[in-house]
Amino acid sequence: MPTDVENWKSEVYGNEIRDHLLEFAEQGWDSIPEDEHDEWFERFKWWGLYHQRNGQESYFMMRIGTPNGVLTPGQTEVVAEVADEYARGPADNPIFGDGYVDWTTRQSIQLHWIKLEDIPEIFDKLESVGLSTQQACGDSWRNIVGCPVAGKDKHEHVDALPVAMELNEEYKGNEDHSNLPRKWKVSVTGCREGCGQGDINDLALEPATKEIDGDEVKGFNIRVGGGLSRNEPRLARDIDVFVTPEQAPEVSGAISALFRDNGDRENRYNARIKFLMDEWGPEKFRNVLQEEYVDYELETAGEDLRSEYSYNSGYANGGHSDHVGIHEQPDGNYYVGLDVLVGRMGVDDTKELARVADEYGSGEVRVTQRQNVIITDVPEEKLDALKSEDLLEHYSPDPHPFMRGSVACTGTEFCSLSIVETKNRQVRYARWLKENVELPEGVEDFHIHLSGCTASCAQPQIADVSLRGMKTRKDGEPVEALDIGLGGGLGENPNFADWVAQRIPVDEVPGAIENLLANFEDEREGDETFREFVERTDEEALADLVEPEETSYEDPMMHNTKMTWYPYADDDSMDASPAPTDGEGNSLQADD
């Protein structure tokens, strides 16, 4: 039997949702029948809207897709303006204030506290500069990711940007691919570092060469079935197919159609393509693709170019390879990557980013999968002046490793799935570690990813230290806690973290990391990296090296933040919530 979601989708889905959404916006929050909330909120996702969690009724998170992370001149300024005017809520965040932009791990943008009544105006502003929320969520093609400096990288094997943009143009809004069994995440990578993170995507196009008719042709090998969520991570699997850049859109669409027709629509927990790949295996998958979805002979895989993959690898040859810093482009100009701690940037800073990008570069801004931003096309003679800008004092091109390596999801601040508070906590962790912990000699990269639940939006399984939200009791009281995993990374030979410690109270996690690094330094062989150390150490021994301990670190969010209406409100009890509110922010709660 189809799931409830599939039944809802069969009634209204895809592009047609927009008309209903705009009608609800005109009539106001109360016009959505209460017994239909679940089905409409599910549909709204297709247009980039997630209803926020309990206690925040009538407020939405809005996700804006930026294919391959590219914001063209003028777009960053409009994002800042929309955030300033429409993304301010009834309570302030103590670190970030009441207006901010979130850069995501899929090179997208998220805004919070969005009111239903404001959506038509927001859509008009975004679409006036070529931005859209279409298919930013939902069971369809999500934002296409790739190397954030595609086309501006001196070392790329093939410029993948035109392919990513063509895929976006072809399949966003395409009715034949608008209703898939589950989300569809696509990565296109042409660089030597592998920063498109294809291994953890449903569909990955990765650089390769193949001799065809006596000529060496550059293109892509295809992998299928990667993903991190549901405590069942998978690495994408090689299906023995090579495509040229010209063939990539057609074959990608054929694979999407195969998933549309064969994915599980009776069990959403089993609906991602990774489970179909588990069932079929790469050989059957390729055979069905060839026989039923492609009308010409597919080329077998070419020679892959993964040997220099260093992005988030954790290996000695990795360097930084995250595009933070100052790097020369092929045209002699430079791109400047700025570290944005946990991916959150205030409204005023986002406006400054737009101004600085316009004044010193071409006005283009790019977003990375490590929640950072890049200013492109900066002439060499403008670099010194750019480096002296106040913005770069707060978002450094040369950050401390603990700041550079921090990634965090949305957490209980807004998300209904999260178990713990995340973004503010990871900021506090990074700051405390920077001030109190010395990294072992030669360790210039150390990634700590904090995810509030098993949905893995912060991609914890591919970090040196993986943190995942849990609950526990301490001194007889319920407190927020984290599981700790070690040794994840991508690169030529990707590996997921081993979860070695469970339910550590959040105030003891910084001490655990401090002790872990000290133990690593004591037992390290030569100049091996942390990942290499983890790989040669058995899980039981690793667990012994994680020694949770209270330190000078203090955590103001030890309590169950999921039970608050907003974790940082002066009165955070559910009864104090003003939600739901009308289009002017006035409470709609019935009088007692």
Side-chain angles (χ1 to χ4, degrees), residues 177-253:
H177 300 266
S178 66
N179 182 359
L180 303 178
R182 282 290 270 121
K183 65 184 75 171
W184 185 243
K185 296 182 175 182
V186 178
S187 168
V188 186
T189 305
C191 68
R192 71 177 183 183
E193 287 85 5
C195 52
Q197 299 193 145
D199 287 300
I200 57 172
N201 280 264
D202 297 297
L203 171 62
L205 279 66
E206 300 197 307
T209 61
K210 186 174 179 66
E211 186 172 316
I212 300 176
D213 297 330
D215 296 322
E216 184 176 88
V217 178
K218 291 185 177 181
F220 306 93
N221 284 343
I222 293 181
R223 292 174 180 250
V224 175
L228 297 177
S229 63
R230 264 198 61 205
N231 270 341
E232 295 192 50
R234 300 285 193 282
L235 295 170
R237 299 172 72 176
D238 184 358
I239 63 168
D240 191 27
V241 170
F242 172 88
V243 294
T244 64
E246 295 74 23
Q247 295 168 330
E250 180 182 353
V251 175
S252 297

Side-chain angles (χ1 to χ4, degrees), residues 108-223:
S108 295
I109 299 162
Q110 291 183 176
L111 306 178
H112 299 281
W113 297 121
I114 299 297
K115 298 292 299 171
L116 178 68
E117 294 82 356
D118 291 331
I119 287 170
E121 290 183 12
I122 296 174
F123 279 2
D124 286 345
K125 287 180 180 291
L126 294 176
E127 291 166 3
S128 72
V129 292
L131 289 168
S132 176
T133 66
Q134 185 184 48
Q135 290 178 228
C137 318
D139 294 346
S140 60
W141 283 63
R142 298 290 186 91
N143 191 51
I144 295 165
V145 300
C147 173
V149 292
K152 300 185 185 294
D153 179 7
K154 291 179 68 174
H155 309 292
E156 64 189 358
H157 299 295
V158 57
D159 182 2
L161 186 59
V163 176
M165 292 304 181
E166 188 173 352
L167 289 173
N168 180 73
E169 184 70 22
E170 178 68 25
Y171 296 109
K172 281 298 178 79
N174 185 319
E175 292 289 352
D176 290 338
H177 300 266
S178 66
N179 182 359
L180 303 178
R182 282 290 270 121
K183 65 184 75 171
W184 185 243
K185 296 182 175 182
V186 178
S187 168
V188 186
T189 305
C191 68
R192 71 177 183 183
E193 287 85 5
C195 52
Q197 299 193 145
D199 287 300
I200 57 172
N201 280 264
D202 297 297
L203 171 62
L205 279 66
E206 300 197 307
T209 61
K210 186 174 179 66
E211 186 172 316
I212 300 176
D213 297 330
D215 296 322
E216 184 176 88
V217 178
K218 291 185 177 181
F220 306 93
N221 284 343
I222 293 181
R223 292 174 180 250

